[in-house]
Every structure is written in structure tokens, then in C-alpha cells.
């Protein structure tokens, strides 16, 4: 008998759901049956996580029942982070999962290109000097060819009203790809797996936000504020729940109810007057040989019994067989046949009340080691289901021939040996070295996918009535947390050992040695080896006890080493490895855990940057008021400062005069609603001789600045300089901040990463002095990157310079300038 594999159609069309078997209630089943009767699709295209129109996506996916996708060019790696310290790749991983959580809410699917979000860009010309336009165009074309949208919608225009170079670039790419996807001479290598595709039309979803109203009365209008009684929600409520998943960006949203009008400007293709899908048949009557399906599915909808969903099985099975009987010669019919057959299979499982999952006894394993697997299956509705066999990782197939009994769970335990060639777990876009603008993905099948396909899975071969299915379930780890209850996390395939280094950057300003700690963790029992550390020329490393002996899986061994710079030492990379039986293991693991997304981790090389810089400093004791999250305190401790984190309790009770300087973390005034209460105390601290350094805060509709910060008025703007090589003019060269205790020169602005500064100060009171002038190409100079005011005996400083990026990156000039901010002398 032929088995049909139950997957989410193609790997490219997979909707990532929870890390276990999906469970639908009767309303969701009925919603799924309705969606079965729609054969239309729409693709929304923009640049970043959180650019998408969640209300529109939810309406199209759940009200119009269209196959709906969002193509985000990037994973948001270059943004800021409101919930933690993660930046770069780690932030991109968080924002990827936030997008997937949003899609689980609004019902759309998620796709990406290989673009790396390198930070804010002011125009598409700048963007395409860093992004490889032809590669990205290929990625967008590939998405269109695979997804086959009838309609494409851009979030932004090509004319710049979107305000961000990435935004404009996304529209440029979408408009070009609209034509190129239909041209067989363009990216012909893609046609080995897919076909050319011409969408009917492409439109721009105009907007009215950020003080920019691009809507117009003559544009196509669509009310997406509809109430869906099956959901018990309007799409304004769905949108709020979906958008609130973007927690790292501070996009928690209030639910809205009632009419909500979206506007669309026609760009190219078949003209449109009244409806996005004007002239497009989205029913099965679209194809002459599938017209009967429309009648069958309509019957299934009308006869559905929410109290007894299993009563729908006979007609669902008839629909399934009818779909399978459709000829696959026409590629367009073949496309919808594949998608709707998988959707119908899932509906059959849900109406049967089937639950299937596969989990391990431990959350990780090493290639070549044994794993214990539990495969569970239960049929909770009345029906006829037989478990024929189960395929386990390791190529073991277990014959079962088990007739399931209603509501009686069956658990099959199995031990397997992981193949020694099993690759380590890693997000596919992070497995290769990449440039500032582009990720490297060698497996072209993965391009566009939001995350990896499941490396290890269990396949259940079952018969529902007379229909045979093969159902994949990813191998996961399941446990019970005393607070959270049942929790799932991905099953991890790890090297025998990982090495973590206590800091990612070590900064020396003297030849005094520093102690460095290495934590070696066993991911399997009986690990015996030796820690090796490689340093650049001009540095000496002495390991106190390099021999590693770990008896049990999970054991850790702390190894300390002394790193000593010589006067001729060059900045470079310290590399760590553990040698076991002649093989070097060189990976460190980064773990990310937030309640709103699945558990995440990734492997990187076990290394740290080491820097020797010419640095003088005064003062020693620094108070640090945490903000949204940054690594500045650790960086200051690297150069010998005694840093105290000033909690609300300490700020309320502490005598602040013991600190030579106080620094506020990034967005402290946006994230700590107690800051206004400390204003008078902080101003008194400055007046009595302290230095208060305030790092950037935002002032916009998401995080308005509604409190006083400095002793005199100023405004936080959206001015920024995104060119990390932009020339910096010293407009106040005699100011102490450029001369005490370190003389700052142009050399100190070499090697900066991502940008110069953000959220500069404007509308300055006359008491403030400016120090620098800088600008991006073809722009007027900005003087608000660093402002300083004397106030009593002390100094108040506000800076938008991105020290939170530069210090963790080990940029020498950033350290020297930041130390000067902390070292400003008292006023007489």
C-alpha cells in the first residue's frame, strides 16, 4: 500500500508550530476545512521582523483563507534589544523566533533571504553597497517561484517614504523580482526544483505612521477590522497578539476592535479597482479538473459537528482521495495538490483526535552515543486507527500492527545510536563565516526557510480507516518545570565538550598579567583530554592545569590561565580547544532563553579578542544604572574600574558621592520608570562634583521621552550617522574630553563597527557644549553625538555614540574616549 508522508507540504512551505504535536479545537478544525476550499495566495514583502502588517496578514490568512506569506529580507540582527544584552547573530535568532511566534498567531507563513541586517541605512544606494543585490534578487525570485503568489504586496515604496534604506531596498527588489520570476533566462539554476511564476499584480500597502501619510482617497481600500466568530476575535485583536510577540523591539500592542481600513496603491501587473484578488478565481473551480472539490468541501463545512468532529472523517477522506486522484501534469495544479493534500491529511488527524510525539530522556547527545527515545500515540476520538510501524533515527524500523483503542495512550521506548557523522545542531545560516551584509548558505534548499529542517525525527506509519499515512514528528526533549509546567526544548546534537571563556574581549592597558577562566563542559560521560590555548605573537599564556577529566555528562571543570602582554604584542584572537584522542574540539555554546519563544542555542568558535591599548584613567569607582541591557560594565571592569550596578534600592539609599562617575545604560530612561524619581538626586550628585554619563535613549511613539534627563533642556532626535567610517570633525579641540587624560585623535575613530551614533541630541540649551561634528554622505553635519554641560562642580554628558557596540567589540579608541568621559575634571 502506498503511504503519503504527512509534512507541511514542502520544506519551504513549513509553518513552524509548537515543539510538539499540534492540537486543534473544533473551531480551528472548521477554520482549516474552510481554508481547504481556497486556492489563492498572497506574499507580503518587507525588510525586517516587525515591518509586517499583522492585521492584514491575519485577515488574509484567517478571514479570506488565503495562503499568506511574509518575506522578511533580514532577521533583524542589527537592531536594538529591549529585553536583554544579545546583539548581532544572537539578536537575529531571537527576532527570527519572534516572527515565527507572530506567524503562529496570525496564520501566515514566514520566509527570509540571506541578507544580514547590518544596521540602519539611510538610502538604498548605501544598502546595496553592503548587500549583494544580485544574490538577494535571486532569493526573492526563488521565494516567488516556490510560493507562487497570485498577489504580491510591498510594505514600503521604492521612493523612500519608508525612511530606512533597507525598507526602500525591499520594495526595489520586490518590484524587480515580480518580472524576473517569470523569466526563464533569469536564475535558470532554480528551475531544477521549481518553475517560473508570474504573479497577477503587485501593490504597495500605503501607510500613515511616523508622521508620514502616504494613503489617498483614490487608492484601493480594504476593511480588515472584521470580527471572526470562530476565533472569537477581530483582526485588530489578532494583530495585537501577533505584534506583541516582537518583545525585543518593545512592540507590545493594545487590542483594537472595529473598522480598520488598509490602503493599496497599484504598482504593476493586472490593474485592480475594488479587490486585491480581482479577476483571480481562488476556488477549486480555478482548474477544470478540480471543480468537484468545491462541492465536496462545501458539504464538509455545512455538515461539520463541533461536538463530534470525527463525523467529518468520511467526507474528508473522500476529499483526500479526490485530491490524490488529480493529475499532476499541470505544475500549478500539482502545486496546490501537494499543499492541500497535506492540509487535508492534518484535518483527518485532528478529527481523529490523534496525538503523536517523540521525545528523549536527555536534551542533548553526542554523535556516536546512545539516545533513549519515547514515541507516544493516542487516539482520543472514536475511530479506526492502526499503528503499523515506527521508523526511528538510526534506520531502525519497528513493526507494530497495533489497533489503537480510544483514549488509551501507547508508548514505545527505543534506544538508538546516533550516527557518528551526524552534524552538530546549529542554525543553518550561522554554520559558515559570513560578511557584514550577507549570510553564506551552501545548501540552496534551505535558502528562504525560517529555520532548520528537523535533523532527527520519528516517523509513524498509520492507517486511518483505509488511508495510509506516514507522519513525521521531530525529536524533542520534554520535561516538567515546577513553575512553568510541561516544557519542550529542541534536542541538541553537540560535540563531546564545549569551552566557554569568561569574557569575549580582554583589554590591557598595562603589562600586568590577567587571569582568564575557561569552563570546559562534558556533553558525554568519561571525557579525558587537554585544554590548549593559542594566542597571537607578543602574548604569553600559562595554563595552571590543562588536563581535563570529567566523569559524567554535564560535569564542568574550571581551568585558569594567566595571560601576559609584551610591549610588542599585537591585537588579535585567543583561541581555545580541548584535545581528545588526537581531535581538537573548538566550540563554545551560547544559550538564549525567553518565555515567549522556544529555547534557542548556537555554537561558535571558542575564542576571545585580546587588545592592548595606550590608556590612562583617573578615578576608580563607577556606578552603573542598568537600562535595556548592554555589556558596558564588564568592559569597564576589564580596564580596572570598580563597577557597582545601581539597583533601584541602591539608588534610593546609597550616598552617590562615593562614585567618581555614574553611567546610565542604554535606554535607561525608556525602560526604568523610576528614573524621574531619581532626577533630583542625580542632579545633586553632579552639582557636588560627579560626572553623569547618559547613553542613548529614544524619543518616539514607542518610547517617548517624557522626563527630564539633564540639568538644562535638550531634545533627543532620530538623527544618526550610520557610516561607521564617517569622518569625525573636532569642533571643540581644546575641550578636556578630548585631552584628559587621553589625547583623542582621528585614529581613535578607526575600526568602529556598524555605525557612529544614534539618537543624537538637538535643540540644545546654551549651557551645553558640543565636541564633534559628523554626517553621512550628502547630509548636513550633526553636532549632537556628544553634549556636555558643567553643572556646579560636576559635569553632565549625553551621548548617542554607540559605545554599547564598540566597547564589547574591543575598539581601542572607543575605550579611550569613554574613559575621558568618566575622567572629566571637577569645575572650580
Amino acid at each position: 500500500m502506498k503511504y503519503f508522508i504527512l509534512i507541511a507540504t514542502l520544506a519551504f512551505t513549513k509553518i513552524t508550530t509548537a515543539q510538539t504535536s499540534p492540537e486543534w479545537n473544533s473551531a480551528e478544525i472548521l477554520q482549516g476545512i474552510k481554508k481547504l476550499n481556497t486556492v489563492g495566495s498572497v506574499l507580503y514583502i518587507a525588510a525586517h521582523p516587525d515591518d509586517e502588517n499583522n492585521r492584514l496578514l491575519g485577515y488574509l490568512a484567517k478571514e479570506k483563507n488565503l495562503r499568506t506569506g511574509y518575506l522578511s529580507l533580514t532577521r533583524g540582527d542589527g537592531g536594538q534589544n529591549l529585553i536583554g544584552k544579545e546583539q548581532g547573530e544572537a539578536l537575529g535568532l531571537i527576532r527570527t523566533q519572534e516572527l515565527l511566534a507572530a506567524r503562529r498567531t496570525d496564520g501566515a507563513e514566514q520566509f527570509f533571504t540571506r541578507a544580514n541586517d547590518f544596521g540602519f541605512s539611510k538610502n538604498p544606494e548605501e544598502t546595496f553597497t553592503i548587500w549583494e543585490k544580485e544574490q538577494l534578487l535571486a532569493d526573492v525570485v526563488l521565494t516567488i517561484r516556490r510560493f507562487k503568489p497570485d498577489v504580491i504586496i510591498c510594505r514600503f515604496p521604492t521612493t523612500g517614504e519608508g525612511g530606512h534604506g533597507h525598507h526602500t531596498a525591499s520594495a526595489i527588489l520586490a518590484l524587480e523580482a515580480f518580472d524576473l520570476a517569470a523569466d526563464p533566462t533569469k536564475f535558470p539554476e532554480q528551475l531544477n526544483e521549481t518553475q517560473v511564476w508570474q504573479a497577477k499584480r503587485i501593490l504597495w500597502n500605503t501607510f500613515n505612521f511616523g508622521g508620514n501619510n502616504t494613503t489617498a482617497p483614490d487608492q484601493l481600500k480594504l476593511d480588515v477590522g472584521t470580527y471572526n466568530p470562530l476565533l472569537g476575535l477581530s483582526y485588530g485583536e489578532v494583530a495585537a497578539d501577533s505584534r506583541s510577540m516582537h518583545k525585543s523591539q518593545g512592540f507590545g500592542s493594545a487590542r483594537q476592535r472595529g473598522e480598520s481600513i488598509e490602503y493599496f496603491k497599484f504598482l504593476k501587473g493586472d490593474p485592480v479597482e475594488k479587490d486585491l484578488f480581482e479577476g483571480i478565481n481562488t476556488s477549486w473551480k480555478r482548474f477544470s479538473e478540480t471543480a468537484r472539490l468545491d462541492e465536496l468541501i462545501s458539504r464538509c463545512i455545512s455538515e461539520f459537528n463541533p461536538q463530534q468532529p470525527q463525523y467529518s472523517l468520511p467526507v474528508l477522506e473522500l476529499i483526500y482521495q479526490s485530491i490524490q486522484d488529480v493529475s499532476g501534469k499541470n505544475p500549478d495544479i500539482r502545486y496546490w495538490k501537494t499543499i492541500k493534500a497535506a492540509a487535508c491529511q492534518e484535518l483527518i488527524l485532528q478529527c481523529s483526535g490523534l496525538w503523536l510525539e517523540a521525545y528523549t530522556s536527555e536534551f542533548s547527545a553526542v554523535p556516536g552515543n546512545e539516545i533513549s527515545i519515547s514515541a507516544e500515540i493516542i487516539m482520543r476520538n472514536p475511530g479506526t486507527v492502526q499503528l503499523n510501524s515506527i521508523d526511528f533515527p538510526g534506520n531502525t524500523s519497528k513493526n507494530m500492527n497495533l489497533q489503537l483503542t480510544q483514549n488509551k495512550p501507547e508508548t514505545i521506548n527505543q534506544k538508538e545510536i546516533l550516527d557518528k557523522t551526524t552534524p552538530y545542531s546549529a542554525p543553518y545560516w550561522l554554520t559558515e563565516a559570513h560578511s557584514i551584509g550577507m549570510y553564506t548558505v551552501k545548501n540552496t534548499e534551505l535558502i528562504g526557510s525560517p529555520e532548520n529542517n528537523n535533523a532527527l525525527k520519528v516517523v509513524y506509519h498509520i492507517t486511518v480507516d483505509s488511508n495510509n499515512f506516514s507522519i513525521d514528528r521531530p525529536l524533542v526533549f520534554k520535561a516538567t518545570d515546577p513553575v512553568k509546567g510541561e516544557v519542550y526544548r529542541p534536542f541538541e546534537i553537540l560535540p563531546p565538550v564545549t569551552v566557554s571563556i569568561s569574557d569575549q574581549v580582554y583589554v590591557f592597558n598595562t603589562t600586568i598579567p590577567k587571569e582568564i577562566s575557561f569552563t570546559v563542559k562534558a556533553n558525554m560521560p568519561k571525557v579525558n583530554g587537554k585544554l590548549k590555548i593559542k594566542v597571537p605573537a607578543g602574548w604569553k599564556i600559562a595554563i595552571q592545569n590543562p588536563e581535563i577529566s570529567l566523569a559524567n555528562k554535564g560535569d564542568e571543570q574550571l581551568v585558569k590561565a594567566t595571560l601576559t602582554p609584551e610591549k610588542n604584542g599585537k591585537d588579535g584572537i585567543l583561541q581555545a580547544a580541548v584535545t581528545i584522542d588526537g581531535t581538537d574540539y573548538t566550540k563554545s555554546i551560547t544559550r538564549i532563553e525567553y518565555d515567549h519563544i522556544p529555547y534557542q542555542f548556537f555554537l561558535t568558535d571558542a575564542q576571545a579578542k585580546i587588545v592592548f591599548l595606550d590608556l590612562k584613567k583617573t578615578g576608580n569607582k563607577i556606578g552603573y544604572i542598568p537600562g535595556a541591557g548592554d555589556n558596558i560594565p564588564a568592559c569597564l571592569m576589564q580596564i580596572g574600574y570598580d563597577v557597582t550596578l545601581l539597583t533601584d534600592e541602591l539608588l534610593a539609599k546609597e550616598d552617590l558621592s562615593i562614585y567618581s562617575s555614574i553611567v546610565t545604560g542604554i535606554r535607561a530612561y525608556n525602560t526604568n520608570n523610576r528614573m524621574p524619581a531619581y532626577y533630583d538626586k542625580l542632579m545633586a550628585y553632579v552639582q557636588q562634583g560627579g560626572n553623569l554619563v547618559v547613553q542613548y535613549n529614544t524619543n518616539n511613539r514607542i518610547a517617548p521621552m517624557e522626563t527630564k534627563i539633564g540639568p538644562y533642556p535638550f531634545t533627543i532626535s532620530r538623527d544618526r550617522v550610520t557610516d561607521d567610517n564617517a569622518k569625525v570633525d573636532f569642533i571643540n579641540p581644546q575641550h578636556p574630553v578630548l585631552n584628559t587624560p587621553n589625547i583623542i585623535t582621528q585614529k581613535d575613530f578607526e575600526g568602529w563597527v556598524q555605525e557612529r551614533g544614534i539618537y543624537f541630541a538637538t535643540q540644545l540649551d546654551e549651557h551645553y557644549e558640543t565636541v564633534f561634528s559628523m554626517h553621512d554622505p550628502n547630509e548636513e553635519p550633526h553636532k549632537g553625538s556628544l553634549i556636555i554641560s558643567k553643572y556646579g562642580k560636576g559635569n553632565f554628558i549625553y551621548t548617542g555614540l554607540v559605545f554599547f557596540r564598540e566597547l564589547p567589540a574591543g575598539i581601542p579608541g572607543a575605550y579611550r574616549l569613554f574613559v575621558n568621559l568618566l575622567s572629566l575634571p571637577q569645575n572650580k
Side-chain angles (χ1 to χ4, degrees), residues 814-826:
Y815 275 90
R816 288 163 46 83
L817 179 56
F818 201 87
V819 166
N820 280 17
L821 298 181
L822 302 177
S823 304
L824 281 173
Q826 288 190 349

Side-chain angles (χ1 to χ4, degrees), residues 197-217:
W197 181 255
Q198 180 62 69
K200 291 292 184 183
R201 60 182 60 97
I202 183 170
L203 306 101
W204 165 31
N205 179 199
T206 59
F207 51 80
N208 182 8
F209 55 73
N212 197 355
N213 185 1
T214 61
T215 65

